[in-house]
Amino acid sequence: MMNKLNFLKPDRKNLNTYLYSGSFLFFIAIFDVFLSSFFKINITSFLPNLVSFLLPLILGILGLHLIRIEFSGIKNLDLLNKNINTNNFNATLTLIIIFAIIKSIAPVTSWFFIDANIAGDTKEACTGSGACWTYIKIWLRRFIYGMYPNELQWRINISFILLIALAFVGYFPSEKLRKFLTLYYVAIYPIIAFILIYYLISGGTFGLVWVETGAWGGLSLTFIVSFFCLIFCFPVGMFLALGRRSQLPTVRYISVGFIEFWRGVPLITVLFMSSVMFPMFLPEDFFMDKLVRVIIAISLFEAAYVAEVIRGGLQALPRGQYDAAKSLGMGYWKMHIFVILPQALKLVIPGIANTFLALVKDTPLIFVVGLLELVGMLNLAKTNPEWLGFAMEGYVFAAIIFWIICYAMSKYSYNLELKYKTDR
Amino acid sequence: MSEQIIEMNEVNKWFDDFHVLKDINLTVAPKQKIVVCGPSGSGKSTLIRCINRLEVHQKGKIVVDGIELSEDTKNIEQIRAEVGMVFQQFNLFPHLSILDNCTLAPIWVKKTPKKKAEELALRELEKVQIQDQAKKFPGQLSGGQQQRAAIARALCMRPKIMLFDEPTSALDPEMIKEVLDAMVNLAKAGMTMIVVTHEMGFAKEVADEVIFMDEGMIVERANTKEFFANPKSDRTKVFLSQIL
Ligand SMILES: Nc1ncnc2c1ncn2[C@@H]1O[C@H](COP(=O)(O)OP(=O)(O)OP(=O)(O)O)[C@@H](O)[C@H]1O
Ligand SMILES: [Mg+2]
């Protein structure tokens, strides 16, 4: 009995014995799972089914128990024990996670790479049991440019390259031009973007063929819609936030009403109304492109959310900041532009980033008015009779693209946060 | 025109039902230094915040430098530019350097050219002996330095009147002196000052007159020597016995 208890309580005296026997059991457990998931071999098949299934877990727990030696003096072992092997419960969780990872690596890699096809350009080229990347390859142009004519796609490329280049202007201004940077990003850059898109992508003048917005689509449309919505919803949201805190009752009630209205309706309804109801209120001969209507609708919708986020930041500022600004003779606008908003906006960067990410991921909803961005094009492609049955590849592709966009945005917002951090 | 720079006539103020200021009559002549004291909650802060309209009074008349305080925002901003204020919590702008704190209002309110505003700011910072901290941010300064920066910031607007609301109450004892020194120098330079403080040493050194407030009323106003030597009201006596 004593012996047994001793055995259950590893100590430093027999460190090596415990370490080796524990590690051995642990690796047997891992090895068993590894073999069964990669090579479909079950070395414990002679045991009853349930025991054979649970054996790696039992061996693993036993192994981890044996190597749980306090203050062993071996740095990595102590680290391991402290972080993932503090007690039997943690050890079990650790094992289950490790097994889950090993079990999923095999099918995931084989679907993505080993059994996947990318060669050829018909459905017949896809012979493997994994993903058919041929489908993505063939449809890539459509996924990026929508129905935009192939021979005109250089216009989209040039516009986007120019826009990206112009976005980096902020990095190299001279000392003298630095103070115009905000003006540039808030006013000039969006105007340039609009002009580029209006004249180059839409066309119709300067000898460029007009391409109607119904033909735009794919990832480029995702970018266009997201870009303009982000740019518009921010200032509108800011004014709504200020309006909601205004001393003037009219301004306050209008802001509250606006915010509560847009927050209360689903985006899909808003989009639907923008295309069906909105034109009914317009004069007969007044024409507004549906892309423009959609951008306005999404911007106003998101502005309500941005407004509430910014209001949170305004609320968080101590009253002393207002008092100090006022006592120096600053009026409402000077106080807000130079003192209040810079501090409040800094506080709400994470919240704003959140709203913006949601916005980007909401863009697929514009399919309700017949605009097909990336996900819309996927849905179109998957119903093509020649390419039936590849929905999975399409959605995985879209998920990866959206994840990259959103991850980049979230990293960027995190950098902004660090850049503008101040001690209080 | 009277020669008084501040005139308060029968001023009353309520916070909802709570009567904070009751029939306040107060006149201040140019270059006068007045210390306001009284128990907590007696309305001292409210009184001086009414002078630059950080608080709005409901009844009575306040005239500052010949301009009556009213709803007219133009008047208010003009008066605020002439009346500097220093707060208990410093209230520096944490996102701006000390120098920018000092130049912000001169540049955007008084339209001083940036170069000139910076020269002025450095001179004011030098007077309170923190010119070497100009490039730092408020969060990097000690409490005493922050409060002196706040004084410099107010002075950069070239005010005619300075209001101080318990400028040393949030400071550690060893930092109180450096702030009081800055205020003494300012007083010697001939500034009109109204100071809410419990630093009776400061009151004795610079104040022309001391006002004692209790429960929203001015209970006693007297020449400094007179005030400390033989206070008239019983409440003043009790207060002084507690604080000295
Ligand atoms: N914004 C406000 N709303 C409601 N009541 C207030 C407000 N500000 C102050 N009061 C009340 O008015 C009274 C006077 O406040 P005030 O700040 O003027 O006192 P004080 O004499 O400066 O006190 P202290 O020495 O503690 O600073 C207090 O009872 C306070 O609770
Ligand atoms: Mg007070």
Side-chain angles (χ1 to χ4, degrees):
Chain A
M1 194 65 193
M2 263 337 264
N3 259 348
K4 205 169 170 198
L5 273 180
N6 267 343
F7 174 75
L8 285 174
K9 240 187 144 15
D11 57 27
R12 283 193 64 174
K13 244 185 275 153
N14 301 315
L15 188 123
N16 278 346
T17 326
Y18 284 117
L19 192 55
Y20 287 132
S21 51
S23 311
F24 179 71
L25 288 176
F26 181 68
F27 283 114
I28 295 249
I30 301 268
F31 189 63
D32 183 31
V33 177
F34 180 80
L35 283 184
S36 74
S37 79
F38 281 86
F39 302 101
K40 310 256 176 307
I41 302 170
N42 187 358
I43 40 175
T44 53
S45 54
F46 53 90
L47 290 167
N49 258 350
L50 189 65
V51 180
S52 160
F53 179 72
L54 287 179
L55 192 69
L57 194 60
I58 296 164
L59 289 181
I61 293 172
L62 212 61
L64 283 177
H65 177 85
L66 290 180
I67 62 170
R68 198 178 301 129
I69 307 158
E70 275 182 61
F71 311 113
S72 63
I74 303 167
K75 199 168 151 243
N76 287 338
L77 182 64
D78 284 344
L79 219 63
L80 184 105
N81 283 338
K82 208 177 107 205
N83 290 322
I84 58 171
N85 191 21
T86 42
N87 52 37
N88 282 331
F89 178 68
N90 266 353
T92 316
L93 286 186
T94 304
L95 280 170
I96 291 176
I97 291 169
I98 292 175
F99 293 166
I101 291 173
I102 295 175
K103 284 256 185 218
S104 55
I105 283 175
V108 168
T109 45
S110 71
W111 189 82
F112 267 89
F113 306 109
I114 299 167
D115 296 333
N117 295 93
I118 192 161
D121 41 34
T122 57
K123 185 181 178 177
E124 279 62 45
C126 288
T127 48
S129 56
C132 176
W133 299 125
T134 316
Y135 162 74
I136 302 291
K137 189 180 77 180
I138 297 301
W139 283 83
L140 194 58
R141 264 172 187 269
R142 298 276 82 86
F143 291 158
I144 294 177
Y145 302 104
M147 294 307 182
Y148 206 88
N150 282 359
E151 68 280 3
L152 300 177
Q153 281 161 6
W154 59 269
R155 280 157 50 173
I156 294 185
N157 294 342
I158 289 191
S159 306
F160 276 70
I161 291 169
L162 276 177
L163 281 182
I164 292 169
L166 285 171
F168 283 99
V169 161
Y171 283 95
F172 350 70
S174 62
E175 222 14 76
K176 238 177 165 176
L177 293 174
R178 203 162 260 282
K179 60 183 167 207
F180 297 113
L181 265 190
T182 319
L183 180 73
Y184 171 75
Y185 279 115
V186 172
I188 300 174
Y189 185 67
I191 293 174
I192 295 177
F194 179 78
I195 290 172
L196 268 176
I197 287 171
Y198 186 79
Y199 285 105
L200 201 52
I201 300 189
S202 179
T205 41
F206 301 122
L208 294 172
V209 187
W210 181 61
V211 183
E212 60 138 358
T213 49
W216 304 12
L219 191 58
S220 55
L221 187 64
T222 306
F223 280 129
I224 291 173
V225 172
S226 308
F227 177 80
F228 282 109
C229 289
L230 294 186
I231 282 180
F232 290 140
C233 77
F234 185 72
V236 176
M238 202 164 75
F239 283 115
L240 284 173
L242 293 178
R244 194 164 185 171
R245 286 167 59 86
S246 168
Q247 305 282 333
L248 310 169
T250 340
V251 177
R252 192 167 61 239
Y253 290 135
I254 290 175
S255 305
V256 172
F258 187 96
I259 291 170
E260 294 307 340
F261 170 76
W262 289 100
R263 283 208 305 178
V265 288
L267 180 56
I268 201 154
T269 331
V270 173
L271 289 170
F272 195 67
M273 286 200 293
S274 82
S275 74
V276 181
M277 304 262 294
F278 185 63
M280 290 202 284
F281 297 107
L282 292 176
E284 203 55 50
D285 50 352
F286 187 90
F287 172 77
M288 195 191 258
D289 193 277
K290 68 177 166 188
L291 179 59
V292 177
R293 288 197 306 251
V294 156
I295 288 177
I296 292 175
I298 299 182
S299 300
L300 294 180
F301 181 84
E302 297 293 341
Y305 287 89
V306 171
E308 287 298 277
V309 171
I310 293 180
R311 192 167 69 95
L314 292 172
Q315 224 99 309
L317 289 191
R319 193 176 70 148
Q321 292 294 311
Y322 292 87
D323 287 347
K326 284 183 197 162
S327 79
L328 289 165
M330 292 188 206
Y332 181 86
W333 290 112
K334 284 174 192 164
M335 172 171 83
H336 276 93
I337 293 172
F338 297 115
V339 178
I340 304 302
L341 284 174
Q343 297 184 62
L345 293 182
K346 194 156 52 186
L347 284 176
V348 297
I349 290 173
I352 297 271
N354 228 355
T355 314
F356 280 7
L357 288 182
L359 189 160
V360 171
K361 290 191 288 187
D362 277 346
T363 52
L365 286 177
I366 62 177
F367 82 86
V368 297
V369 300
L371 288 172
L372 301 177
E373 47 62 78
L374 179 56
V375 179
M377 286 312 294
L378 283 171
N379 285 332
L380 189 68
K382 93 180 172 198
T383 55
N384 185 307
E386 285 186 29
W387 290 93
L388 285 175
F390 298 113
M392 181 74 163
E393 284 83 347
Y395 288 126
V396 169
F397 175 71
I400 293 172
I401 299 281
F402 270 94
W403 185 83
I404 292 172
I405 296 172
C406 291
Y407 186 70
M409 286 173 68
S410 112
K411 268 279 171 228
Y412 182 70
S413 89
Y414 188 66
N415 282 347
L416 276 186
E417 245 177 89
L418 290 183
K419 186 170 157 198
Y420 291 118
K421 207 167 99 177
T422 42
D423 329 280
R424 275 217 140 260
Chain B
M1 282 300 295
S2 65
E3 71 268 34
Q4 306 294 351
I5 196 163
I6 300 173
E7 273 181 83
M8 299 178 91
N9 214 326
E10 300 286 309
V11 172
N12 280 274
K13 174 166 180 62
W14 287 265
F15 284 121
D16 297 327
D17 294 343
F18 182 63
H19 201 168
V20 221
L21 296 180
K22 299 168 188 164
D23 290 333
I24 300 284
N25 287 298
L26 175 70
T27 51
V28 181
K31 308 214 167 182
Q32 227 180 358
K33 285 95 188 131
I34 293 185
V35 162
V36 181
C37 61
S40 181
S42 56
K44 308 178 297 288
S45 300
T46 312
L47 172 73
I48 69 166
R49 287 165 65 86
C50 278
I51 296 174
N52 63 357
R53 214 179 169 78
L54 288 182
E55 300 288 357
V56 180
H57 62 285
Q58 276 92 28
K59 225 176 101 190
K61 191 170 151 188
I62 303 178
V63 180
V64 178
D65 199 24
I67 305 169
E68 182 176 350
L69 293 185
S70 63
E71 287 299 327
D72 187 351
T73 41
K74 206 102 216 121
N75 277 355
I76 297 170
E77 278 165 33
Q78 197 182 336
I79 287 172
R80 283 177 181 163
E82 284 177 20
V83 180
M85 186 156 188
V86 175
F87 302 86
Q88 184 174 356
Q89 301 297 340
F90 327 139
N91 294 347
L92 290 170
F93 306 134
H95 61 302
L96 298 176
S97 70
I98 298 299
L99 187 63
D100 290 340
N101 262 279
C102 293
T103 57
L104 184 66
I107 290 175
W108 293 101
V109 177
K110 288 182 84 177
K111 314 277 180 236
T112 316
K114 189 167 184 226
K115 259 240 169 70
K116 244 179 125 190
E118 284 182 355
E119 282 168 20
L120 176 66
L122 285 173
R123 230 176 306 140
E124 292 299 341
L125 288 172
E126 194 174 343
K127 281 189 202 159
V128 294
Q129 298 177 354
I130 46 169
Q131 67 277 24
D132 49 335
Q133 313 285 337
K135 288 272 176 281
K136 288 195 189 164
F137 284 83
Q140 300 165 323
L141 266 56
S142 75
Q145 290 172 325
Q146 287 192 49
Q147 192 60 300
R148 284 183 282 154
I151 294 173
R153 175 177 73 177
L155 291 176
C156 282
M157 286 296 282
R158 293 256 164 267
K160 293 185 177 160
I161 305 166
M162 283 288 284
L163 308 173
F164 293 83
D165 189 0
E166 308 202 27
T168 55
S169 304
L171 294 175
D172 292 337
E174 67 266 27
M175 292 172 188
I176 291 178
K177 192 175 173 305
E178 60 192 48
V179 172
L180 289 180
D181 284 348
M183 290 167 64
V184 170
N185 289 338
L186 185 61
K188 284 187 184 144
M191 175 65 72
T192 312
M193 292 164 73
I194 301 184
V195 184
V196 176
T197 185
H198 294 141
E199 295 292 331
M200 289 305 147
F202 173 81
K204 284 175 186 163
E205 187 179 348
V206 303
D208 301 315
E209 288 186 275
V210 181
I211 289 174
F212 176 70
M213 276 188 83
D214 195 14
E215 294 183 349
M217 286 179 290
I218 295 185
V219 174
E220 184 159 354
R221 171 175 184 173
N223 177 284
T224 309
K225 277 217 184 79
E226 187 75 7
F227 182 86
F228 288 108
N230 74 62
K232 294 199 180 58
S233 119
D234 290 338
R235 278 192 273 180
T236 317
K237 285 176 196 161
V238 173
F239 178 75
L240 283 177
S241 69
Q242 282 168 352
I243 203 163
L244 286 177

